Amino acid sequence: MKNIQFENDILVIPDTFNKLKIIESDGEKFLKGEVDIIDNEGKVWDVYQVEIRSSEEYPFRFPKLFEKGDAFPKIVDWHVYEFDDKSCCVDVTPNEILICKKGLNVLEYIQRFAIPYLANQTYRKREGYYLYGEYSHGIMGRVEFYQSKLKAQNLLQLIQMIALILKGYNPYRTSICPFCHKSKFRRCHKNVFVELQDVSWILSQDIEVLHQLYSRFPDFKLPNI
Ligand SMILES: [Zn+2]
């Protein structure tokens, strides 16, 4: 995916990551080479062969990270978009969109997201599990994400909250929160409601799935986050 801003932003990357080179192929520039995973004592813990290419919406979505050295299976269970382009699934989509809200450049992406993702893969290869806990895949991953933001009492309340976000709920400054009852809405759920309005197109799809989930499993337990 050719993206002029991405092609400008990658120019400085070899200064910081000297094993990544800028490659041009089919009229598109991208990064290719090795990324070292370095431990706290400065020892190289692992080395990954990668390509980093632009996404369509960069810098408002992550660039695409591809692991090219067969270091881990290219399946959903290893956080790879198995049924799409086999790029790495570095975070759940709504969180990625919120992180990139003001634009995220590729240097920051590599440092803050790609390297921690790869380090987590190394940890799992060696220890058999993810160090920082594992987020789930698909809708369950998004339920965990919504719950981490909204802290609903149960699934029905989570659905009610999402419905209000989709309606642009914005009560008087002094209104009591319909979920917490004690304090005022502006002191509890207001900010997160406003934040999640930025991903309402995903919420509007997920609320349907959550309704189905609730009708089949009314006692569904939300994750404790
Ligand atoms: Zn509240």
Side-chain angles (χ1 to χ4, degrees):
M1 185 59 60
K2 189 171 177 74
N3 178 310
I4 300 296
Q5 183 167 353
F6 178 80
E7 297 195 357
N8 280 328
D9 290 351
I10 60 177
L11 294 175
V12 300
I13 299 298
D15 299 341
T16 309
F17 295 95
N18 56 21
K19 290 156 79 183
L20 286 177
K21 297 198 166 32
I22 297 168
I23 302 288
E24 181 157 13
S25 161
D26 293 330
E28 177 199 350
K29 291 193 181 117
F30 58 92
L31 294 165
K32 184 182 170 82
E34 292 181 347
V35 172
D36 293 336
I37 306 301
I38 297 177
D39 72 10
N40 290 336
E41 280 109 51
K43 246 177 44 201
V44 175
W45 196 40
D46 208 347
V47 180
Y48 283 93
Q49 313 281 336
V50 299
E51 284 181 15
I52 300 169
R53 294 171 177 261
S54 187
S55 56
E56 201 168 336
E57 288 134 307
Y58 176 90
F60 302 106
R61 292 292 294 270
F62 286 163
K64 287 179 175 284
L65 172 69
F66 297 91
E67 192 281 315
K68 304 301 273 186
D70 270 333
F72 50 84
K74 298 301 171 290
I75 57 174
V76 169
D77 188 51
W78 281 78
H79 294 296
V80 171
Y81 289 112
E82 175 181 1
F83 303 108
D84 189 2
D85 56 8
K86 309 224 189 285
S87 61
C88 297
C89 175
V90 175
D91 208 335
V92 293
T93 306
N95 203 32
E96 177 187 330
I97 291 170
L98 295 178
I99 289 163
C100 299
K101 188 179 172 188
K102 291 181 179 145
L104 180 81
N105 72 53
V106 61
L107 178 63
E108 217 181 336
Y109 168 74
I110 295 171
Q111 291 169 329
R112 283 179 54 203
F113 301 99
I115 287 177
Y117 169 93
L118 294 169
N120 221 3
Q121 301 290 47
T122 295
Y123 193 88
R124 179 172 170 182
K125 280 191 288 173
R126 296 186 188 191
E127 305 296 330
Y129 60 93
Y130 286 118
L131 179 59
Y132 300 109
E134 182 174 9
Y135 60 85
S136 307
H137 316 291
I139 183 66
M140 285 308 151
R142 296 202 296 284
V143 167
E144 285 169 16
F145 169 71
Y146 299 140
Q147 179 61 356
S148 74
K149 294 275 179 188
L150 291 166
K151 308 208 181 335
Q153 302 291 321
N154 52 53
L155 180 58
L156 185 60
Q157 193 178 74
L158 190 73
I159 292 170
Q160 289 165 344
M161 287 178 173
I162 291 173
L164 286 179
I165 293 167
L166 288 170
K167 280 189 196 147
Y169 183 68
N170 188 17
Y172 288 118
R173 286 175 55 75
T174 51
S175 298
I176 300 296
C177 175
F179 306 104
C180 309
H181 302 295
K182 287 179 204 145
S183 61
K184 296 186 176 77
F185 182 67
R186 69 188 157 89
R187 293 212 194 112
C188 56
H189 277 89
K190 181 176 172 136
N191 288 344
V192 68
F193 269 43
V194 170
E195 186 184 20
L196 288 176
Q197 274 165 5
D198 285 333
V199 288
S200 40
W201 61 275
I202 301 178
L203 292 176
S204 64
Q205 295 165 13
D206 283 348
I207 196 169
E208 301 297 329
V209 183
L210 295 177
H211 273 300
Q212 290 164 21
L213 186 66
Y214 180 69
S215 66
R216 291 183 58 193
F217 306 103
D219 297 326
F220 179 83
K221 271 192 76 68
L222 290 173
N224 276 326
I225 294 170

